[in-house]
């Protein structure tokens, strides 16, 4: 068996993709997506990346509708469908075949009630399941005990279907996650960017006409995100790839080793608090000084002051915030960036 613990990004993407898909039962689709994410992690740890392909990888990463492929993965040339359920009786041979008789192999994934852990129970060839069902139907009366079990081969036997290969752990080395604020490594005057997508390590891409040797990260710059139709700071980072894809917001690709976490991550429009206060008020960044050594390099205005002028839930482009505050007589306050922290609103 193989245990996978999905993180917050996995949960958000699995759910939002199910919503975008327009499923009749969003819960079932979300759980199915989590099962695919769990099997993808198994493949990454135990199978050569050149010999498996996840059909729905881009759809789930960008929360787009799936192409309705007849199977979820192709491994060593076999079509594999991943079945995820809390009820293990769903994995009895007859139940599996009633829902999916056409794929080569079925992988069975059990999940906990709160979906915080998924266990890959095993896998089986569809032809073997058909044989088991035929055998079961040949008996009348009480089913023999030797047939009253889940039909599943251990997960670690899946690699036996392919050529002999050494155990290869090909999990990403990339330290970044969507939503991280980064700058180009070694560039003291580099602009702050937002990580939108962390691409799988085998997805070699090109930058400036040359193949990139290493893991790629797609980032967007806040000023471009600000030009979108909504307040992207109120969107969960897991959904940023979907938002950028829908709105045709340009992404820039970097090798992950060419990026580093931004020392001063703030940009106009960010929601922040001063955490050393007992009950800090929510504020919005108005301007960020270019000189990092300034004692007070971040100007902010408190959100309740802004809402008093423009109304609740009113969104204003970050480029207009400073001038609006000046014209409306809204007081601004200056702090050093180290005194502030994000107070995300997604």
């Amino acid at each position: 068996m193989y245990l996978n613990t999905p993180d917050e990004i996995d949960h958000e993407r699995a759910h939002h993709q199910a919503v975008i898909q327009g499923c009749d039962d969003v819960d079932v689709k979300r759980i199915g997506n989590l099962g695919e994410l769990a099997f993808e992690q198994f493949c990454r740890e135990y199978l050569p990346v050149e010999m498996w392909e996840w059909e729905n990888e881009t759809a789930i990463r960008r929360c787009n509708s799936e192409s309705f492929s007849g199977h979820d993965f192709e491994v060593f040339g076999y079509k594999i469908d991943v079945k995820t359920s809390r009820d293990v009786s769903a994995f009895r041979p007859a139940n599996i075949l009633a829902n999916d008789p056409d794929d080569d192999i079925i992988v069975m994934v059990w999940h906990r009630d709160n979906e915080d852990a998924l266990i890959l129970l095993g896998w089986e060839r569809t032809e073997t399941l058909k044989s088991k069902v035929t055998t079961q139907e040949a008996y009348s009366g009480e089913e023999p005990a030797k047939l009253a079990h889940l039909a599943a081969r251990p997960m670690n036997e899946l690699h036996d279907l392919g050529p002999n290969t050494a155990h290869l752990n090909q999990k990403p080395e990339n330290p970044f996650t969507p939503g991280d604020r980064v700058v180009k490594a070694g560039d003291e005057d580099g602009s702050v960017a937002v990580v939108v997508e962390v691409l799988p390590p085998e997805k070699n891409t090109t930058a400036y006409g040359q193949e990139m040797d290493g893991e790629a990260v797609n980032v967007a710059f806040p000023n471009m995100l600000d030009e979108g139709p909504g307040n992207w700071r109120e969107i969960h980072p897991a959904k940023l790839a979907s938002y950028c894809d829908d709105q045709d917001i340009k992404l820039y690709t970097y090798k992950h080793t060419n990026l580093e976490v931004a020392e001063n991550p703030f940009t106009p429009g960010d929601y922040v608090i001063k955490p050393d206060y007992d009950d800090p008020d929510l504020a919005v960044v108005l301007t960020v000084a270019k000189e990092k050594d300034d004692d007070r390099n971040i100007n902010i205005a408190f959100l309740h002051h802004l809402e008093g002028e423009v109304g609740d839930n009113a969104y204003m482009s970050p480029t207009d915030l400073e001038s609006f505050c000046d014209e409306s007589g809204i007081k601004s306050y200056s702090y050093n960036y180290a005194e502030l922290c994000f107070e995300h609103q997604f």
Side-chain angles (χ1 to χ4, degrees), residues 15 80 147 158 174 183 229 252 257 300 318 325:
H15 181 78
I80 291 183
L147 295 178
L158 189 61
N174 196 326
V183 294
Y252 295 84
T257 52
I300 62 99
C325 288

Side-chain angles (χ1 to χ4, degrees), residues 38-51:
F39 184 64
E40 187 257 353
Q41 289 301 302
F42 169 83
C43 291
R44 193 166 297 290
E45 287 198 53
Y46 291 96
L47 306 177
V49 292
E50 301 85 2
M51 297 183 179

Side-chain angles (χ1 to χ4, degrees), residues 222-238:
N223 62 320
M224 295 183 177
L225 288 164
D226 290 338
E227 294 174 0
N231 187 353
W232 63 272
R233 291 174 176 84
E234 296 180 357
I235 299 173
H236 194 283

Side-chain angles (χ1 to χ4, degrees), residues 52 59 61 70 76 84 123 137 154 160 175 216 222 225 231 235 327 338:
W52 60 270
R61 173 160 49 83
F76 301 129
T84 310
W123 63 277
E137 291 175 347
D160 293 339
L225 288 164
N231 187 353
I235 299 173
E327 294 168 3

